[in-house]
Every structure is written in C-alpha cells, then in structure tokens.
Amino acid sequence: MQTSGLLRLMQLVSPSLPVGAYSYSEGLETLVQRGTIANVEQLQHWLIQELTYGAVRLEAAVMLRSYQASQAGDRAAIQYWNQWLTAARDTEELRSQSLQMGRSLLRLFQDVQSSLDSTRTTDLETVLTTLDALKSQGCHFAIAFGLVASMWEVEETAALLGYLHSWASNLVSAAIKLVPLGQTEGQRLLLTLNPTIEQAAQTIVQLADGDLVSCGWGLSLASMHHETLYSRLFRS
C-alpha cells in the first residue's frame, strides 16, 4: 500500500476520529454490571467469540462489499447493502449506534473532501451523489467506512484489518473504564487479539453473500438490557 493510503488508514481508525465511537460499549456495560465480565480473561473470551462468530464479522463483510462497490461505482449495490445491514441489526441501540457513526463519518468526509487528490475528481462526484441518497435513508458506519477507505486509496485487506482492530480497540478502551482494567492490561490484550483478528479477516474475505450469518444472541440480549440499566456511562 502506498504511504498516503497507510497514513489515511491510520487517520480513519484513530480513536480521535470524531464519529462518537468512544461513547458506545456494545452491550459490554451490561455484562460488566451483571458480573459476566469481571476480569481481562473473561473480556478476552468475549471479544474472541465476537470476532469469530458475532455481528462484527457481518459488519466487516458488508464494509468490504461497500468498498468493492465504491471501487466499481455501483451505487445500487451500496444502497442494497446499507438496507441489508439495517435489517440485520437486532436491537434499536445497535442500529442507532451504527447509523449515528455512519452519519458522522459521511459528514466528516464531505467536510475534508477538498484535501483529496485532484485525480479522483470524477470518482468523488460519483461518491457524493451516492452520499446524498444514503443521507436520506441513513447510512451505517460499515458502509461509510468502506466508501471512505476506497476514496482514500486504502488497500482492501488493510481496510478490513483496520476496521476489526478499531472495533476491538474501542471495546478494550470501554472495558478499561468499566471493569476496570489497567492501561497495560488493555494493551497486552490487544496484542493477544492480533492472531484472532488476522484469522477473522482471512475468513471474512472468503464469505459469500449467502454465508453472512452470525450467532450473536448474547450481544443482542446485553444490548436490550442496556436500555434499562439504572445508571450508564455509555450510550449502548
């Protein structure tokens, strides 16, 4: 991957990216309050299961399809997968999170578009037309991530690894506050997760459309119960 693409990927997955990822725990807050996750070993088990069988695999697979459709200029495919992801969201909290982060990323992309290479002007015009349609129906974060990664000339596999690692980093950061965990423990856990993230990426690129299924009822229940917690640090 070219240096410019790598730098843009680092910006896209940075915790400082203003899309609101820091405000979500994706059900983790429920699990901690109920004692299901009380230490780093239990957190590691949860994250490995999610990366191997859970909804994040679907999101990452749809992100890839958004990336590929953007490369091909296929607006219909982008809109199809955006609607598909809406139907695949099990709870209102998870759906709202995905749409809020997607909306924020699209707005950010449009605000900084003038800094893109002039050689991508034609592609940019096509994407901006697509964005107008997506904004009217709501755009999921995975769809927006794929679009931006494509426009920023991030290599496909790198975009997938970055998406998965960013997801894991956000939940580890939430767990540091909730469990709580030490910063060193959190960083050690992220290093431990690297082989799982690599394996998940290898599996995701081979998934056919008919293979996009997940076993995430634990996440769904945690998300639904999160709505009624007595006190909350996170939005979901």
Side-chain angles (χ1 to χ4, degrees), residues 43-56:
L43 174 63
Q44 178 179 335
H45 176 75
W46 175 265
L47 295 178
I48 288 175
Q49 295 304 302
E50 285 297 303
L51 286 164
T52 306
Y53 306 108
V56 68

Side-chain angles (χ1 to χ4, degrees), residues 156-171:
E156 184 174 322
T157 301
L160 176 57
L161 289 169
Y163 188 90
L164 294 172
H165 191 274
S166 177
W167 173 86
S169 296
N170 185 64
L171 291 190

Side-chain angles (χ1 to χ4, degrees), residues 8 26 53-55 59 61 81 109-110 125 127 160 173 176 221 228 234-236:
R8 287 169 177 172
E26 299 192 20
Y53 306 108
E59 293 178 16
W81 286 111
F109 173 75
Q110 290 184 295
E125 291 176 354
V127 170
L160 176 57
S173 178
I176 288 173
L221 290 174
T228 59
F234 293 89
R235 295 174 65 179
S236 77

Side-chain angles (χ1 to χ4, degrees), residues 17-233:
L17 192 75
V19 296
Y22 67 90
S23 62
Y24 298 105
S25 75
E26 299 192 20
L28 193 63
E29 188 166 20
T30 302
L31 299 171
V32 172
Q33 286 203 20
R34 294 191 167 198
T36 304
I37 293 179
N39 53 53
V40 69
E41 291 78 18
Q42 291 169 337
L43 174 63
Q44 178 179 335
H45 176 75
W46 175 265
L47 295 178
I48 288 175
Q49 295 304 302
E50 285 297 303
L51 286 164
T52 306
Y53 306 108
V56 68
R57 292 169 70 251
L58 296 187
E59 293 178 16
V62 171
M63 185 279 294
L64 275 184
R65 284 156 173 78
S66 172
Y67 179 102
Q68 293 161 356
S70 178
Q71 292 279 296
D74 191 345
R75 294 169 52 194
I78 293 172
Q79 292 176 326
Y80 169 82
W81 286 111
N82 190 54
Q83 294 168 352
W84 187 95
L85 199 53
T86 295
R89 295 283 66 185
D90 293 344
T91 71
E92 182 178 359
E93 279 203 352
L94 293 174
R95 183 169 58 252
S96 296
Q97 171 189 343
S98 182
L99 291 171
Q100 180 273 304
M101 289 175 60
R103 181 172 61 251
S104 296
L105 183 53
L106 288 187
R107 184 170 58 246
L108 176 66
F109 173 75
Q110 290 184 295
D111 287 344
V112 302
Q113 64 178 310
S114 60
S115 64
L116 294 174
D117 296 337
S118 59
T119 55
R120 302 301 301 276
T121 301
T122 302
D123 292 341
L124 180 58
E125 291 176 354
T126 301
V127 170
L128 290 179
T129 302
T130 304
L131 296 189
D132 289 337
L134 287 173
K135 285 191 295 184
S136 66
Q137 67 186 51
C139 181
H140 289 279
F141 181 67
I143 297 294
F145 190 101
L147 282 168
V148 175
S150 171
M151 288 301 300
W152 281 3
E153 299 180 316
V154 176
E155 192 271 329
E156 184 174 322
T157 301
L160 176 57
L161 289 169
Y163 188 90
L164 294 172
H165 191 274
S166 177
W167 173 86
S169 296
N170 185 64
L171 291 190
V172 168
S173 178
I176 288 173
K177 301 179 181 73
L178 291 167
V179 174
L181 301 178
Q183 295 284 351
T184 301
E185 271 190 309
Q187 291 303 308
R188 186 180 295 117
L189 173 56
L190 280 174
L191 285 173
T192 302
L193 289 175
N194 280 348
T196 303
I197 292 174
E198 292 177 17
Q199 181 59 53
Q202 293 171 11
T203 300
I204 289 166
V205 296
Q206 299 176 22
L207 292 176
D209 293 352
D211 296 328
L212 298 186
V213 297
S214 70
C215 182
W217 53 267
L219 170 61
S220 300
L221 290 174
S223 175
M224 287 187 284
H225 286 299
H226 187 262
E227 297 178 5
T228 59
L229 289 183
Y230 176 73
S231 63
R232 301 189 300 181
L233 291 177

